[in-house]
Amino acid sequence: MINRQAIHQMREREIARFIAANPKSKAHAKSVQGWFQGVPFHWMLDWSSPFPIVAQEASGATLTSIDGQVFDDFCLGDTASMFGHSPAPLAKAIAAQAGQGLSYMLPTAKGAELGSMLADMFGLPQWQVTTTASEANRAVIRWCRGITGRDKILIFNSCYHGAVDDVFVDLRDGRAVNRPSLIGQVQDLLPTTVAIEFNDVDALASALRGGDIACVLAEPLMTNIGMVRDTPGFLKELRRLCDETGTILVLDETHTISSGYGGHSNMHGPKPDILVVGKSIGGGVPCAVYGFTEAIAKRMAALNASRPAGHSGIGTTLSANAMAITAMHAMLGQVITRDAYAHMLSMADRLVAQLNSVISTHSLDWRVSHVGARVELVCSAIPPRNGSEARAVMDHALESTIHLYLANRGILLAPFHNMMLVSPVTQVAQVDRLAAELNSALTELLA
């Protein structure tokens, strides 16, 4: 058990160290004009530091601040740059496209090639492009409701599918509630969104057999409340129950593309009816895709043919712009390869082994959750089975202190939880350094 006073003392000292080491970032935070709360987007304030590190540039698996500090980056833009910052083929392709126009609202030759590349990688024949995964999920929910004639969707408690209104339902003490933290929410989501706990087969069967659920929208494993793994057989039963009840299975693999080539569903199953991927597929250029089976495509086409002319509620002018198509074409063609994954998985295995060794050295009742290139440090002896359990074991004071300690020693973790990503260009020395610095932090905290 780590003493609360030890955590407090370390945090106060590390705050002082951070302030002293980042004078330009501090001055930037105080002097910047025009941005609400001093940043272009409020999530940039969610780091454990007293003010954000201001980035100067990033390359490969490192990031350099305006204070000249070079960080081993295990956050990688919270998955957006999971395949490394500015890989050379992407940078070259973007530079060339910049001189040829950025947005046409017309198809391109590269777009035709990209459709085949997506089908080959993910095993689904039909695709559409959006600007963000949030937009993709919104579109998919509309399609699922439209082609099934059902109003409800089912999600798992504490899920994350971007800024999609329909998914902001939580379970609190077993009761579904509209998420209380939302700003400006006026629609009651409870009549059309069903929330249950992940890995609860009985609740899943009961909900789906009511016959009024259009789709299940899920990650193959939960990644945004810490990592919650699927229990043996759960995903197979999810697939079976969707087939039994005529419910569309949508897997959001925006994060779990880290599992391996083709994403978690191709590596481990089951196959979805619709697949969503965002963030990393364009190397950080804003874009996302959703793919679907031929059976779903036929139902979508029939729905399109039957509706009145006019806006479908799906799509924006910037969807499938030339820059996004070019970025994805370069990434799938030259960066997101089987060889890249082989390196990522090897380095992730090394990181897991090192973290487990640190935990064992200090006799801590902690665990390491791991799938593909995504690694989570869980401050609990028992791995959480659902969102409620994951939320209950989070120790924000301890986690934020460790994050700040590591940042002061040139290592960035994702700010929201103990997530670490390994890229195709992450090096052995970076992995070893992360484990060594974590060991130093715990040695001090447990002294």
Side-chain angles (χ1 to χ4, degrees):
M1 186 70 178
I2 297 177
N3 183 276
R4 295 289 103 180
Q5 182 63 24
I7 296 172
H8 176 74
Q9 289 176 347
M10 175 180 281
R11 177 158 185 78
E12 290 301 305
R13 185 197 69 207
E14 293 301 318
I15 286 173
R17 175 170 174 163
F18 182 89
I19 292 171
N22 295 278
K24 292 182 180 179
S25 291
K26 181 182 179 182
H28 180 277
K30 287 187 173 183
S31 64
V32 67
Q33 299 291 317
W35 296 120
F36 174 63
Q37 295 182 316
V39 288
F41 185 56
H42 64 92
W43 285 7
M44 294 174 178
L45 297 172
D46 286 349
W47 296 79
S48 58
S49 51
F51 47 83
I53 295 164
V54 179
Q56 180 73 44
E57 61 180 359
S59 177
T62 62
L63 181 146
T64 304
S65 75
I66 62 172
D67 288 285
Q69 296 197 75
V70 179
F71 297 89
D72 294 333
D73 192 356
F74 291 89
C75 172
L76 295 169
D78 194 27
T79 307
S81 299
M82 186 179 73
F83 297 100
H85 293 288
S86 296
L90 175 63
K92 182 179 179 181
I94 289 174
Q97 187 64 52
Q100 299 168 6
L102 304 181
S103 192
Y104 315 139
M105 211 173 78
L106 289 168
T108 63
K110 279 185 181 176
E113 293 177 1
L114 177 61
S116 296
M117 295 160 76
L118 288 165
D120 289 344
M121 180 173 178
F122 295 104
L124 289 169
Q126 300 280 302
W127 291 85
Q128 288 282 271
V129 178
T130 63
T131 309
T132 66
S134 294
E135 184 194 341
N137 283 323
R138 287 192 198 98
V140 166
I141 290 170
R142 281 190 174 271
W143 281 119
C144 289
R145 285 174 168 154
I147 64 181
T148 62
R150 300 173 178 179
D151 294 337
K152 295 181 180 179
I153 68 167
L154 185 143
I155 60 165
F156 293 107
N157 182 37
S158 300
C159 68
Y160 181 73
H161 299 291
V164 180
D165 280 6
D166 303 82
V167 305
F168 292 130
V169 173
D170 291 336
L171 291 180
R172 301 290 179 175
D173 299 321
R175 184 173 65 89
V177 298
N178 291 288
R179 185 168 295 177
S181 62
L182 295 180
I183 295 173
Q185 181 69 26
V186 296
Q187 178 186 356
D188 181 7
L189 302 174
L190 300 183
T192 54
T193 299
V194 176
I196 65 172
E197 294 287 11
F198 195 62
N199 287 319
D200 189 338
V201 173
D202 291 340
L204 179 65
S206 177
L208 294 189
R209 285 173 178 157
D212 56 357
I213 305 291
C215 69
V216 174
L217 175 58
E219 294 182 287
L221 55 108
M222 300 184 76
T223 63
N224 216 65
I225 187 74
M227 187 184 293
V228 179
R229 294 297 309 267
D230 53 302
T231 56
F234 176 71
L235 294 178
K236 183 178 180 181
E237 188 66 3
L238 171 61
R239 176 71 274 180
R240 188 190 71 78
L241 285 167
C242 284
D243 290 339
E244 175 192 313
T245 59
T247 308
I248 298 170
L249 177 57
V250 182
L251 292 183
D252 182 350
E253 294 233 36
T254 296
H255 284 172
T256 57
I257 189 177
S258 62
S259 295
Y261 190 82
H264 194 279
S265 54
N266 276 288
M267 293 293 293
H268 306 289
K271 294 294 184 69
D273 300 303
I274 304 178
L275 178 77
V276 173
V277 181
K279 291 187 180 179
S280 61
I281 199 165
V285 172
C287 53
V289 293
Y290 59 99
F292 35 95
T293 64
E294 289 288 4
I296 293 292
K298 289 178 181 178
R299 296 171 74 181
M300 290 166 64
L303 176 61
N304 248 345
S306 68
R307 69 182 180 86
H311 200 312
S312 65
I314 296 171
T316 63
T317 307
L318 287 176
S319 295
N321 65 76
M323 182 62 80
I325 293 292
T326 292
M328 289 187 284
H329 186 274
M331 291 296 291
L332 266 66
Q334 302 174 74
V335 180
I336 306 176
T337 65
R338 295 183 186 277
D339 286 345
Y341 272 105
H343 178 86
M344 293 161 73
L345 302 187
S346 173
M347 287 297 98
D349 286 343
R350 183 181 183 91
L351 178 57
V352 170
Q354 298 254 16
L355 294 177
N356 279 323
S357 177
V358 171
I359 291 169
S360 177
T361 295
H362 296 286
S363 301
L364 288 167
D365 289 332
W366 292 3
R367 301 181 67 88
V368 178
S369 290
H370 167 220
V371 61
R374 183 176 297 270
V375 179
E376 290 270 357
L377 186 64
V378 182
C379 302
S380 170
I382 301 173
R385 297 167 298 176
N386 55 51
S388 292
E389 291 182 4
R391 188 184 293 113
V393 301
M394 284 185 168
D395 188 333
H396 295 289
L398 174 60
E399 291 174 9
S400 64
T401 298
I402 289 175
H403 287 204
L404 184 56
Y405 182 98
L406 293 175
N408 280 336
R409 288 149 186 84
I411 299 166
L412 293 181
L413 272 55
F416 305 111
H417 41 86
N418 290 326
M419 188 270 287
M420 292 154 269
L421 278 171
V422 179
S423 79
V425 287
T426 300
Q427 301 299 309
V428 167
Q430 293 176 300
V431 168
D432 293 352
R433 184 158 51 246
L434 191 164
E437 294 296 358
L438 175 63
N439 181 67
S440 297
L442 293 176
T443 298
E444 180 179 338
L445 286 169
L446 291 164

